[in-house]
Amino acid sequence: MRKFCLAAVFLLAFVSGGWAQFDKGEPVKWKSQITELEQGLYEVAVTAKIEEGWHTYGLGPYDGGPNPTILTVSGTGVELVGEPYIKQGGRKEMDPTFGMEIDLVENGDVLAQKIRITPQATGKISVVVEYQACTNGSCVAPQEAEMSLGIPESALEGKSGSGGSLWGFILEAIAWGLVALLTPCVFPMIPMTVSFFLKQNEKNPGKGKFLASLYGICIVLIYTIPIAVIILLTYLIGGGNLAADIFNWLATSWINVIFFLIFVIFALSFFGAFEIVLPSSVVNKADSKSNRGGIIGVFFMALTLVLVSFSCTGPIVGSAIIKSMQGEIMTPILVMLVFSIVFAIPFTIFAFAPSLLKKLPKSGGWLNSVKVVLGFVELALGMKFLSVADQTYHWGILDREVYLAFWIVIAGLLGMYLIGKLRFKYDSPSDHVGVGRLILGIICFAFMVYMIPGMWGAPLKALSGYLPPIQTQDFVVAHTSGSATGTYQMGAPSVSSAMNIPDRKYSDKLHLPHGLVGYFTFDEALKASKEQGKPIFFDFTGHGCVNCREMEARVWSDPEVLEMLRNDFVICSLYGDDKMEVLPEDYLELEDGKVLKGMGKINSRFVMEKFSANAQPFYLVLDSDGNPLVEPKGYDLNVDNYVAFLKKGLDAYGRR
């Protein structure tokens, strides 16, 4: 009752003061910055600039007291480490109004929050400070300051070293751009370009070089702007969350079946079954306007190149964009930009110096061979998309050995094609095999032989990120893992280990790799942890997560890691992209009355609210009440680091 009366008095002070007015504007301003504490760990700090005589309150909470200052840091790929804290200042004072000791944040004081930036980080880091400024018993209405920070370069450099990384996409885009130049729709366009700019150079050499530069820029813009507009409009209209949700949906939903079919169509086109071409009226109209000369003529010359070469570049561009859109927002734009730059550079160079044309090889049957090889590559890459949909919906049509069987056959057929034992419709006859084709054929056959043991459960670590998880394998050879005790099957949980575990929800469709047995609901894991007296190894994963599969194949398979996971922890794996409908008792009702029934949506919501994380993989060691014992761990293929992470968690649990 006393606290209620004091609060009422405090409220009357607001009313009688009519909210304090200021001649100098807002009494409080905030400035944010980010600094790296150690590799992967950063500190976001906000510094208060407060007028003399004014203050805000500390981070609280203050039960029955004033409004605390709230610091919120968020962003795609940003993981919070611990709680916000007062880094500098925060003078404590006994407040007679509320009868409690309160932290006062004054001019120059600093609040901070530690974060980790994962390889999936994109966009900006959002920093929001909610506060209330007071002076001499008078306060203004609660305010909110919003700031944003860019992702540090050091985090981007770390990002480039991970699987499915930004640099990986860039290198892939460069490769696609170079390959596109060697296709039969593009390569013959180079002489046409040279003849166009040869005329321009004869009239005015200086202007000719300017137009050549403009030509390359136009090619880049024509390829990049459409995809950028579509993505950015989605981002601006619906915000970052909507855009991220759309791309995450693209990454794991049934739409992957359509992507798979697109890749198959692209492959058949490259094999010569048909051509993917734009309407001739569109191409002819652009070509007619390219004869005008000047800047307009150069633009339409570039547009004509893009349109005419579409039957060869369309599948390549589509493949690159579809792959890069797996959970990303800005990456597709960057991929398209890099691809178009690489694609445009040779045309620009030959436009600058037409005499270089004499050094190019003549067009011929070798160009069709490039298309056919690309067809095999498209066919193999398309399998990944069907596999993702198959796993998230539990169709069971593309288990690991079936997937491998397709890849083995594709690699073998490609090898036969390269050594001349297989020919397609538009291939030129040849009575010998060149050294280059022979070497490529040997590589294909070697790759085929490498994959064959995988049909019986070999881990194939080099391909772990691209294959279905090994627990989907229907038949495996018993495997003994180093110092890990006992022999176990790598595909399904061993009978002996499963006998001691009661029925676990959803274990009929979800399994852990390497014969490990765990839980797929958080509540069951908590109960088991309390009963067994073991900490929880928390694994936030996904069927479509390439990095998760690499971690399981390269790190979890280590004997020391595997032994600890099997014997010292209760494992809880939550899938963030599974489309299975959970049991009614596991439905999640939101504040707006909406009910979530899909496992992936429920798990993603839970992990975000409890651990402020949305990246995969995301690993934690928890106590039996579900509280983190150590800082979280993400994608890291260093086994020693992972062992240290697990041991640190065990030590922390033992001290509780």
Side-chain angles (χ1 to χ4, degrees), residues 541-607:
T541 185
H543 296 293
C545 174
V546 173
N547 290 346
C548 302
R549 301 292 84 76
E550 283 194 304
M551 289 294 294
E552 292 164 4
R554 300 189 184 193
V555 179
W556 287 27
S557 62
D558 177 79
E560 189 173 5
V561 172
L562 198 54
E563 185 173 8
M564 283 193 287
L565 291 178
R566 182 179 293 111
N567 300 324
D568 301 329
F569 292 93
V570 169
I571 301 176
C572 177
S573 285
L574 299 187
Y575 283 81
D577 59 4
D578 197 287
K579 309 303 179 185
M580 182 196 321
E581 182 174 327
V582 299
L583 298 171
E585 63 262 27
D586 292 329
Y587 288 173
L588 177 63
E589 184 174 356
L590 305 181
E591 295 179 358
D592 59 3
K594 181 180 179 181
V595 177
L596 299 182
K597 300 179 180 180
M599 174 177 283
K601 292 182 178 180
I602 293 173
N603 288 341
S604 296
R605 183 90 178 201
F606 169 76
V607 174

Side-chain angles (χ1 to χ4, degrees), residues 626-643:
N627 301 312
L629 295 173
V630 293
E631 293 180 354
K633 189 141 192 83
Y635 177 83
D636 183 358
L637 295 178
N638 187 303
V639 174
D640 292 337
N641 291 346
Y642 210 78
V643 169

Side-chain angles (χ1 to χ4, degrees), residues 29-98:
K29 294 182 179 178
W30 301 90
K31 178 182 179 182
S32 63
Q33 64 178 19
I34 184 170
T35 55
E36 186 174 14
L37 302 178
E38 58 184 64
Q39 186 174 4
L41 182 65
Y42 295 83
E43 181 185 68
V44 173
V46 292
T47 304
K49 184 179 180 181
I50 304 179
E51 292 185 6
E52 186 177 354
W54 289 84
H55 65 267
T56 68
Y57 294 102
L59 298 171
Y62 303 116
D63 185 20
N67 292 323
T69 299
I70 300 174
L71 172 62
T72 304
V73 180
S74 61
T76 303
V78 174
E79 300 174 356
L80 303 184
V81 179
E83 299 292 331
Y85 55 94
I86 299 178
K87 180 181 180 181
Q88 177 180 310
R91 177 172 61 87
K92 292 185 180 296
E93 183 178 275
M94 185 67 185
D95 192 311
T97 304
F98 296 102

Side-chain angles (χ1 to χ4, degrees), residues 455-486:
M455 296 290 290
W456 291 272
L460 304 182
K461 294 184 179 181
L463 301 176
S464 56
Y466 301 93
L467 300 178
I470 198 167
Q471 58 265 31
T472 66
Q473 189 107 7
D474 288 334
F475 52 95
V476 294
V477 176
H479 173 76
T480 303
S481 181
S483 62
T485 58

Side-chain angles (χ1 to χ4, degrees), residues 27 48 82 86 107 168 171 173 177 208-209 217 251 253 276 298 315 360 370 390 394 410 412 464 507 518 583 628 632:
I86 299 178
N107 187 46
L171 293 174
K209 288 182 170 51
I217 294 172
S253 74
I276 303 174
V298 168
L360 282 180
V370 172
D390 180 62
H394 304 285
I410 290 171
S464 56
S507 60
L583 298 171

